[in-house]
């Protein structure tokens, strides 16, 4: 009888332990399912300039070129953003597409245009939403200076930051711009944002004082100011160099310890860093 009782209580005890383990397991599974996605942005220097378009003949600044930058494993995909006359943010490199000036056109007019693969010129919202379906490739958001007025440039900066915040895309986005007023506006609106300056006419010290995250300069500028690599590093600024399309320059920049290289040849740079 004693043996049977002990056996009975042991069985209960084993059964309870199993249930507790099962509950703990379920709790862990549910926590991992509900928690934030792990930070898995790629740690390589490759930024695809206007997406990765060249080898596949895709249009620049398209969803397709973003998808390819993601697929081949670029750390970032760069894109250019303008604002239509009626306030919609759309991607295009130049001020116009096929003669239609984006800043003077309505979104309705812009949406009639087609890229070579049949896509419409993506809106910044569409591009960000697509980019946010993954978390390996960052979205390098170039805010284009307005050709209409400085005030319109500031309005554009406001809209860009508002869009990024409304989508919760902050984690994916680094901003870049040639326009110092736009850069300062973004820094003020989102002090945690990574903002880099493109225009090449400010020293690392000046950029640091203005609150920039980094410099993103033409390779010619960096060749003329080779001391800026060390200066920027000492100040803790991120260093990105554009637009670098040959192996020799890529190798030189990697030797200088740059963080990012913006290139039309992301496959070439990916191959180079894998050697
Ligand atoms: Mg650009």
């Amino acid at each position: 009888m004693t043996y049977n009782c002990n056996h009975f209580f042991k069985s209960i005890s084993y059964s309870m332990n199993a249930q507790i383990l099962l509950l703990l397991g379920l709790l862990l599974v549910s926590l991992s399912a509900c928690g934030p996605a792990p930070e898995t942005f790629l740690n390589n220097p490759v930024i695809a300039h206007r997406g990765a378009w060249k080898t596949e003949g895709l249009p620049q600044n398209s969803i397709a070129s973003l998808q390819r930058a993601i697929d081949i494993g670029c750390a970032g995909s760069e894109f250019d953003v303008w604002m239509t006359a009626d306030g919609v943010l759309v991607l295009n490199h130049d001020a116009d597409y096929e003669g239609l000036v984006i800043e003077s056109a309505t979104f309705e007019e812009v949406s009639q245009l087609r890229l070579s693969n049949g896509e419409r010129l993506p809106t910044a919202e569409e591009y960000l939403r697509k980019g946010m379906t993954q978390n390996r490739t960052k979205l390098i958001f170039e805010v284009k200076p307005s050709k209409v007025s400085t005030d319109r440039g500031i309005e554009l900066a406001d809209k860009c930051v508002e869009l990024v915040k409304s989508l919760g895309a902050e984690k994916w986005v680094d901003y870049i711009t040639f326009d110092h007023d736009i850069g300062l506006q973004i820094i003020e609106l989102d002090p945690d944002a990574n903002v880099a300056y493109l225009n090449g006419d400010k020293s690392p010290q000046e950029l640091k004082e203005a609150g920039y995250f980094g410099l993103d300069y033409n390779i010619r500028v960096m060749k003329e100011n080779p001391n800026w690599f060390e200066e920027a590093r000492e100040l803790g600024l991120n260093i990105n160099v554009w637009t670098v399309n040959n192996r020799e320059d890529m190798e030189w920049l990697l030797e200088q310890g740059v963080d990012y290289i913006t290139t039309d040849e992301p496959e070439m740079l990916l191959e180079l860093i894998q050697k």
Side-chain angles (χ1 to χ4, degrees), residues 233-264:
R233 260 198 306 277
E234 281 176 1
L235 291 164
L237 289 172
N238 185 278
I239 307 172
N240 187 345
V241 182
W242 54 273
T243 303
V244 183
N245 294 333
N246 70 71
R247 276 191 181 78
E248 199 185 349
D249 284 339
M250 288 173 180
E251 282 170 352
W252 178 70
L253 288 169
L254 292 171
E255 282 166 20
Q256 306 306 312
V258 299
D259 298 288
Y260 292 130
I261 296 172
T262 301
T263 177
D264 294 328

Side-chain angles (χ1 to χ4, degrees), residues 48 51 73 75 95 152 177 182 204 217 247:
R152 196 165 201 277
T177 187
I182 288 178
Y217 284 176
R247 276 191 181 78

Side-chain angles (χ1 to χ4, degrees), residues 183-184 187 191 193 195 205-214 237:
L184 293 179
I187 291 165
V195 186
Q205 184 66 41
E206 288 173 297
L207 295 181
K208 183 71 183 177
E209 284 165 12
Y212 283 100
F213 152 80
L237 289 172

Side-chain angles (χ1 to χ4, degrees), residues 83-149:
M83 182 168 64
T84 63
D86 51 350
V88 181
L89 305 177
V90 295
L91 272 65
N92 193 48
H93 178 259
D94 297 328
D96 75 287
Y97 184 79
E98 292 179 348
L100 186 71
V101 177
I102 308 286
E103 287 195 278
S104 315
T106 62
F107 178 62
E108 171 67 25
E109 289 170 318
V110 171
S111 57
Q112 306 301 315
L113 302 169
R114 289 292 179 275
L115 300 172
S116 61
N117 65 346
E119 273 183 51
R120 278 195 291 265
L121 277 65
T123 63
E125 179 173 344
E126 288 165 346
Y127 197 92
L128 293 176
R129 284 189 187 280
K130 179 69 184 179
M132 289 172 73
T133 61
Q134 52 84 54
N135 59 0
R136 285 159 50 82
T137 301
K138 289 198 83 169
L139 309 172
I140 314 299
F141 192 136
E142 180 175 351
V143 183
K144 300 299 275 190
S146 172
K147 289 184 182 295
V148 176
S149 68

Side-chain angles (χ1 to χ4, degrees), residues 32-48:
S32 63
C34 298
E39 293 284 347
T40 55
F41 289 114
L42 293 163
N43 183 25
N44 70 49
V46 186
I47 306 293

Side-chain angles (χ1 to χ4, degrees), residues 49 78 80 142:
H49 183 227
E78 187 261 1
D80 306 293
E142 180 175 351

